[in-house]
Amino acid sequence: MWKAALSTFVSVVLLTTFIFVVWVVATHDYRWEAIAPYRNNLVSGWLVTLLISLASLFLSVFIGALLTAGQLSGHRLPAFLCRVYVEVIRGTPLLTQILIGYYLIANAIDWHSSLGVGIVVLSCFSGAYLSEIFRGGIESIPSSQWLSARAIGFTGAQTYRFVVIPQAVRRVLPASAGQFANLVKDSSLLFVISVHEFTMQAREANANTYATFEAYLPLILGYFLLTFPISLLSRHLERRYRYEH
Amino acid sequence: MSIEIQGLTKHYGATRAADGIDLALGDAVKVLALIGPSGGGKSTLLRLLGGLERPDAGSIRIDGKEVPHDEETLRVWRRRNGFLFQSFNLFPHLTALENIVLPLVEVHGWKRDEAGERAREVVARFGMSAHLEKHPVQLSGGQQQRIALARAMAHDPALLLLDEPTSALDPEMKAEVLDLIEELCQGGQRIILSTHEMGFARGSADAVVFLGGGKVVESGSATDLFDHPQSAIVKAFLGKVMKW
């Protein structure tokens, strides 16, 4: 009885809110012609965001895997250093990391490509989160599997390659996909070092035309076009790796 | 196989899983059963024999060869033997066939098609040919244990170590797996197993060792130990487990 009442209540609230939002957004008096000249800028910004996302995705997986390996290495110093890295990165704002990375660290080694530095900083940031996801996945493999691999005569490397990682991959997919979607959205903060990505182009278009909604609404579609395929791919892979039936 | 164990000790924290085990068995023993109460040290002794754990003190010799102490040589030792656990421990992401083929290829250096052929042969012998392409979750406990046994057997192990191979199975499946183990015994396979199946230990083992509190309480031939137990602990234990 109370279950039915609760689900009706939730449905009504969600539906009403949704209809209200769509109505407000749809009935706004838009000036699309004001933003039209910035069309190409928005497209190029979207492509830059796509490039940053793809590059950071691969680099952050690599960094995440290294950090996980360091933490699980069984050697105290690397484990400690990786732990400190992960805690510092996760405990401080990305915005600050981007500023320090570009204006202090990259500057000190005379590297002035804001796009390049942006990709690296973003990957270092996302890699810290991924390493925690990876570590959780590996530690969730039951000890009976390790024992069995040992009894068969596998080396440590073989145990990871044939037994642990194939099973861990499926377990970390959903959380990793979430992190990749965050990565795409977090790339919008790179405007502070004037990377001409998607959000930066929308800000510029807005600044020049005062057509705020016309400039920012395309962001919804643009970012969703990037994050939704990640979600679909993750579901697809999860199904492929499902060996329970 | 001859087995000589001297002063074998293994502690886990305050638990004395092996507390100075001494044992000497002659060459005539092909099948050795370890019996006794849970927590008495059966699993620990099996793991030490199989080189899965390293003892805190003491030594084990099988056929005059000492079980090694360093990881590298221990791995070679493990590869020569086959190990079967109570809880099957198949790899869930691989099919039954792949579970058997993978160790043959990656550990024993067989060619993939030879390994596949060998796996099919062993599985056919165990009456499991229809289930080769299934994943472990699609198999019953008894079927999983038969595949796990096939995996432990496929490389013709010098010694097969079985840790309570039927404890997690219902009676019908128990019988299926025990039949297979009996068949292996008949075929001359050297086996050391820990078990709560007293009927099986009595019928199939050449020697029986009773472990309690991490020590050998009594050892001897199956008939000696079951018909004429010497120690009060063994008498009480057998009295209880044979009652039903």
Side-chain angles (χ1 to χ4, degrees):
Chain A
M1 178 59 200
W2 62 270
K3 265 190 190 168
L6 186 64
S7 58
T8 313
F9 174 73
V10 171
S11 307
V12 168
V13 168
L14 282 179
L15 211 60
T16 326
T17 314
F18 180 72
I19 292 169
F20 177 70
V21 169
V22 170
W23 183 72
V24 169
V25 172
T27 56
H28 180 76
D29 190 14
Y30 291 104
R31 297 184 295 122
W32 290 112
E33 66 288 350
I35 209 79
Y38 296 90
R39 218 171 31 221
N40 291 340
N41 292 13
L42 284 172
V43 170
S44 85
W46 185 83
L47 287 173
V48 171
T49 291
L50 176 66
L51 170 74
I52 295 171
S53 303
L54 280 177
S56 311
L57 194 150
F58 286 109
L59 191 54
S60 65
V61 168
F62 178 71
I63 292 173
L66 277 186
L67 288 168
T68 306
Q71 291 201 54
L72 298 177
S73 65
H75 298 285
R76 255 183 221 186
L77 186 63
F80 175 73
L81 292 176
C82 290
R83 190 78 235 146
V84 169
Y85 174 90
V86 169
E87 292 302 336
V88 169
I89 293 288
R90 294 206 310 171
T92 57
L94 175 58
L95 196 61
T96 320
Q97 291 168 18
I98 295 170
L99 289 171
I100 291 177
Y102 185 63
Y103 290 109
L104 295 184
I105 299 169
N107 209 28
I109 58 168
D110 220 16
W111 187 22
H112 300 293
S113 157
S114 58
L115 180 67
V117 176
I119 289 171
V120 170
V121 174
L122 208 53
S123 304
C124 290
F125 175 78
S126 193
Y129 284 86
L130 283 177
S131 81
E132 286 296 274
I133 295 172
F134 295 167
R135 190 172 61 88
I138 285 172
E139 287 176 348
S140 76
I141 303 301
S143 61
S144 60
Q145 292 286 306
W146 297 85
L147 182 67
S148 201
R150 240 166 96 76
I152 281 169
F154 279 150
T155 61
Q158 285 177 320
T159 303
Y160 272 102
R161 184 173 154 205
F162 297 118
V163 179
V164 175
I165 290 176
Q167 294 185 60
V169 164
R170 197 183 87 77
R171 299 189 183 198
V172 304
L173 267 175
S176 300
Q179 182 53 37
F180 293 145
N182 283 340
L183 175 71
V184 172
K185 291 179 286 175
D186 288 342
S187 69
S188 62
L189 281 177
L190 293 180
F191 78 84
V192 289
I193 53 172
S194 50
V195 176
H196 285 76
E197 44 71 52
F198 200 25
T199 306
M200 173 87 164
Q201 297 289 4
R203 285 165 59 90
E204 275 183 10
N206 172 43
N208 294 338
T209 62
Y210 300 108
T212 309
F213 297 112
E214 293 80 352
Y216 280 112
L217 271 178
L219 292 185
I220 293 183
L221 184 66
Y223 279 106
F224 191 70
L225 275 179
L226 293 175
T227 54
F228 191 56
I230 295 176
S231 176
L232 284 183
L233 183 67
S234 154
R235 273 160 206 260
H236 170 73
L237 289 174
E238 261 183 84
R239 268 200 301 276
R240 223 189 82 187
Y241 287 121
R242 187 171 304 162
Y243 33 79
E244 272 86 343
H245 56 78
Chain B
M1 66 196 143
S2 71
I3 298 179
E4 285 169 67
I5 301 177
Q6 280 174 343
L8 195 65
T9 306
K10 177 81 186 175
H11 294 177
Y12 298 101
T15 314
R16 293 158 174 243
D19 197 17
I21 294 178
D22 292 304
L23 188 68
L25 291 171
D27 236 354
V29 177
K30 286 238 178 245
V31 179
L32 169 64
L34 309 177
I35 63 166
S38 296
K42 301 190 298 292
S43 284
T44 303
L45 179 55
L46 266 182
R47 287 178 190 203
L48 289 166
L49 286 163
L52 282 176
E53 304 268 2
R54 270 176 277 191
D56 298 331
S59 68
I60 302 175
R61 282 172 183 280
I62 298 181
D63 292 330
K65 277 189 215 118
E66 180 157 4
V67 178
H69 294 284
D70 63 300
E71 185 58 29
E72 201 77 4
T73 337
L74 267 176
R75 202 179 303 125
V76 178
W77 181 267
R78 286 181 214 130
R79 288 175 176 184
R80 286 200 352 218
N81 301 328
F83 219 108
L84 181 68
F85 301 93
Q86 178 181 342
S87 52
F88 329 134
N89 294 8
L90 290 172
F91 301 133
H93 59 299
L94 301 177
T95 63
L97 180 67
E98 287 163 348
N99 261 285
I100 303 169
V101 168
L102 181 70
L104 288 178
V105 173
E106 299 299 336
V107 175
H108 302 285
W110 293 38
K111 290 209 177 68
R112 189 156 272 281
D113 47 336
E114 285 169 6
E117 213 168 288
R118 172 68 177 152
R120 281 169 209 284
E121 182 192 317
V122 179
V123 167
R125 202 170 129 207
F126 288 9
M128 289 288 295
S129 295
H131 308 289
L132 273 174
E133 300 300 332
K134 289 185 183 166
H135 282 92
V137 278
Q138 296 168 286
L139 302 171
S140 72
Q143 291 170 335
Q144 287 187 50
Q145 195 63 313
R146 280 189 274 168
I147 293 296
L149 187 58
R151 182 173 73 181
M153 276 291 305
H155 60 288
D156 272 327
L159 178 61
L160 196 54
L161 298 140
L162 315 174
D163 190 3
E164 297 194 21
T166 59
S167 292
L169 302 176
D170 65 38
E172 198 182 346
M173 295 174 181
K174 259 189 208 336
E176 288 172 6
V177 172
L178 288 175
D179 281 345
L180 273 185
I181 298 172
E182 167 65 22
E183 202 185 304
L184 294 175
C185 297
Q186 297 296 333
Q189 174 69 48
R190 307 197 309 175
I191 296 176
I192 303 178
L193 82 162
S194 67
T195 185
H196 289 295
E197 303 300 322
M198 294 305 145
F200 183 81
R202 182 182 195 148
S204 301
D206 307 313
V208 179
V209 172
F210 187 101
L211 287 162
K215 289 188 168 77
V216 174
V217 179
E218 198 171 328
S219 67
S221 73
T223 23
D224 281 352
L225 200 123
F226 284 104
D227 296 342
H228 314 287
Q230 301 297 310
S231 91
I233 300 174
V234 179
K235 278 180 194 164
F237 179 84
L238 290 177
K240 264 190 235 163
V241 297
M242 300 301 226
K243 188 174 167 191
W244 302 105

